[in-house]
Amino acid sequence: DFPLRIWLVDNSDSMNTMDGLCFVHGKSRAKQMLSCSRWKELKETVRYHAELAMDLGAPTLFRFITDPALANPKIPKDKKQMMGICISEVEKKNHEREWVMTGLKEDDDFQWEDFAHSDFEALTEVLDQVKPRYTTPLAENVRIIKKQIERLHLSLIDNRQRVCVIIATDGIPEDISDFQDAIIELHELPVWVVIRLCTSHDAVLHFWTSFDLDLEFDLDVIDDFKSEAEEVLSCNPWLTYVEPVHRAREWGYSHRIFDLLDELSFEEDLMAEYCSTIFGVSVHDLKPEGDESWWLNFYYDIVSLLEREKKYYDPLSSSYKKLINTHTLGDVYGGKLERRRRRRKVTAKPEAKTEPLSALQEEDERFADDSGADLKFLDMNASALSASNKGCCVLS
């Protein structure tokens, strides 16, 4: 896991555009997505990840592109352009200020929870008062973030860690060449960069897609939830792109299988790897190598695993669906064996296992709500997180 995440939050004037999408809970906690401003969509996203950081004790910084107090004098002067969860700004003896990361410490030390909750309340208070104004100086802010990460460089190298930088924006940089130089400079450090787009404007989407392809290093470009679901459907119509997967990618979860979801139609091996990742089981158990009759056992194992999972909200149909459409899965990968199974109308495995391939872990209470974030790959490794955050790291 990352010892630190840094969000660059676009609060420029264009974020007032009304082409965003946000979740609303209807009767019986049913979800639906309604139109809203880009800023409201991003505010909901930032609030989600701030709360997640609070619950997990994961040090996270949120930097606004422009100082929110410039557009709204009602924001208290002690609220800065950069605010943190489980990371606090303190004054040193020489009157310089530095950021000190704490997060999870020893198992019997829960004082951090009070600090984290206080950090979360302070951030949400400012979020509710932000009035998007002015331009989008991305390059300038990226270089500021780079200077902060530089102070952790040796520690990151020694511990083989990276900082996750999430740039949430709706626009094209004011100076494209300068921004590209800033991103290249940032990648001189151990970082993983996620671009979270807050618009479906074709020109912006084209720019960032091209920008990703032009670079010699990897970064993950993510659209809004519904747009990503549309792209995934066009490549892999047998799966449902769900919010937990989307939130995990925003969180910085880096796995090639999720990077490829909306880029290519999966062959059998990639499809099996996706299923093993999403259910938390061994890919070799799901699809043994060299087994030409793998499909039938695979199909029944997937059916068994799906029976243990709840349904998730699908933004394209505005309904709740299973993680995998087994009928479409059979159309794409089943071939003759699947056609034979359908003719015989076999709905259960002849010698069905009483348990799926791998016992599914209990749902974490944090992810037990309608967000559906109880997928197995999202079972955060608390011990690794605790180890990465023990002691204090300092950002001057």
Side-chain angles (χ1 to χ4, degrees):
D1 197 28
F2 303 105
L4 176 66
R5 289 172 176 79
I6 302 178
W7 279 74
L8 182 55
V9 180
D10 191 341
N11 59 327
S12 63
D13 184 66
S14 59
M15 292 296 289
N16 290 305
T17 306
M18 295 294 294
D19 63 358
L21 289 171
C22 62
F23 279 116
V24 214
H25 287 283
K27 294 182 180 179
S28 303
R29 293 177 58 81
K31 278 185 179 179
Q32 48 185 318
M33 299 192 76
L34 298 181
S35 297
C36 64
S37 68
R38 297 173 184 174
W39 172 248
K40 186 172 182 179
E41 176 188 321
L42 180 54
K43 183 170 71 171
E44 180 186 81
T45 298
V46 169
R47 191 189 301 271
Y48 178 96
H49 288 283
E51 185 174 3
L52 183 59
M54 174 187 69
D55 290 344
L56 296 177
T60 306
L61 281 172
F62 296 89
R63 178 180 177 82
F64 297 99
I65 282 184
T66 59
D67 187 347
L70 295 176
N72 187 359
K74 293 182 179 180
I75 296 178
K77 293 182 179 179
D78 61 332
K79 306 302 182 185
K80 305 297 181 181
Q81 188 170 348
M82 183 176 291
M83 305 180 71
I85 306 290
C86 295
I87 177 168
S88 303
E89 190 177 26
V90 299
E91 187 173 330
K92 298 194 296 185
K93 292 181 179 179
N94 58 3
H95 301 296
E96 292 183 1
R97 302 189 70 82
E98 64 185 15
W99 288 93
V100 178
M101 295 192 297
T102 52
L104 289 172
K105 292 186 178 179
E106 303 301 333
D107 292 340
D108 58 350
D109 180 5
F110 295 103
Q111 188 178 22
W112 65 268
E113 292 183 341
D114 294 332
F115 290 119
H117 188 268
S118 177
D119 292 340
F120 176 74
E121 292 295 328
L123 176 63
T124 54
E125 179 185 358
V126 171
L127 280 173
D128 289 336
Q129 298 181 76
V130 167
K131 296 180 179 180
R133 294 288 188 275
Y134 311 116
T135 56
T136 314
L138 289 176
E140 174 189 336
N141 281 276
V142 168
R143 289 195 170 95
I144 291 173
I145 289 173
K146 176 179 179 288
K147 288 181 180 179
Q148 293 167 330
I149 299 175
E150 281 175 343
R151 293 169 173 82
L152 291 174
H153 194 185
L154 293 179
S155 173
L156 293 169
I157 296 298
D158 290 343
N159 294 294
R160 297 182 178 182
Q161 294 175 319
R162 296 185 294 176
V163 171
C164 181
V165 179
I166 304 102
I167 301 174
T169 182
D170 72 334
I172 298 174
E174 296 173 346
D175 186 328
I176 295 176
S177 177
D178 189 35
F179 176 73
Q180 183 166 333
D181 291 342
I183 288 290
I184 292 173
E185 293 166 11
L186 179 64
H187 273 84
E188 294 171 358
L189 301 171
V191 297
W192 169 247
V193 176
V194 175
I195 307 295
R196 168 55 165 95
L197 297 181
C198 307
T199 179
S200 55
H201 194 278
D202 290 341
V204 176
L205 295 177
H206 176 73
F207 167 78
W208 286 106
T209 302
S210 303
F211 184 80
D212 184 15
L213 295 174
D214 290 342
L215 297 175
E216 297 179 357
F217 41 78
D218 291 332
L219 54 81
D220 196 9
V221 179
I222 307 173
D223 295 342
D224 63 84
F225 181 30
K226 186 174 182 180
S227 297
E228 281 292 321
E230 290 172 346
E231 293 179 16
V232 170
L233 180 68
S234 66
C235 294
N236 297 287
W238 49 271
L239 67 87
T240 304
Y241 185 75
V242 294
E243 188 185 6
V245 172
H246 192 68
R247 295 301 194 190
R249 293 174 68 194
E250 292 175 339
W251 180 251
Y253 184 82
S254 176
H255 193 301
R256 71 177 187 121
I257 204 69
F258 296 116
D259 295 341
L260 297 174
L261 276 177
D262 57 353
E263 295 180 8
L264 54 84
S265 298
F266 287 172
E267 298 292 336
E268 289 177 359
D269 288 344
L270 281 178
M271 178 273 293
E273 184 180 347
Y274 173 83
C275 293
S276 72
T277 303
I278 211 76
F279 290 116
V281 299
S282 167
V283 67
H284 301 295
D285 287 341
L286 272 179
K287 187 179 181 298
E289 294 184 9
D291 184 0
E292 295 182 359
S293 60
W294 66 276
W295 168 252
L296 289 180
N297 283 335
F298 177 85
Y299 174 85
Y300 294 121
D301 284 329
I302 292 298
V303 170
S304 179
L305 288 165
L306 284 171
E307 288 175 353
R308 301 286 293 273
E309 287 285 345
K310 65 183 181 183
K311 293 182 179 180
Y312 295 85
Y313 182 80
D314 172 29
L316 302 182
S317 64
S318 298
S319 62
Y320 285 78
K321 292 184 175 181
K322 293 183 178 181
L323 291 169
I324 293 173
N325 183 321
T326 51
H327 188 87
T328 307
L329 188 74
D331 290 341
V332 178
Y333 301 103
K336 293 180 179 179
L337 290 174
E338 175 62 12
R339 290 194 291 274
R340 188 180 306 158
R341 186 195 68 80
R342 292 179 182 178
R343 283 198 302 271
R344 294 177 179 177
K345 297 183 179 180
V346 179
T347 58
K349 195 171 182 177
E351 296 180 1
K353 301 176 182 178
T354 56
E355 293 291 335
L357 295 174
S358 175
L360 301 181
Q361 301 172 357
E362 293 183 2
E363 295 180 358
D364 184 340
E365 291 183 3
R366 166 64 185 87
F367 297 107
D369 62 8
D370 258 5
S371 68
D374 54 342
L375 295 181
K376 303 306 164 286
F377 74 94
L378 268 181
D379 181 24
M380 303 299 178
N381 190 328
S383 59
L385 181 62
S386 177
S388 69
N389 293 335
K390 279 186 179 179
C392 292
C393 299
V394 176
L395 287 172
S396 298

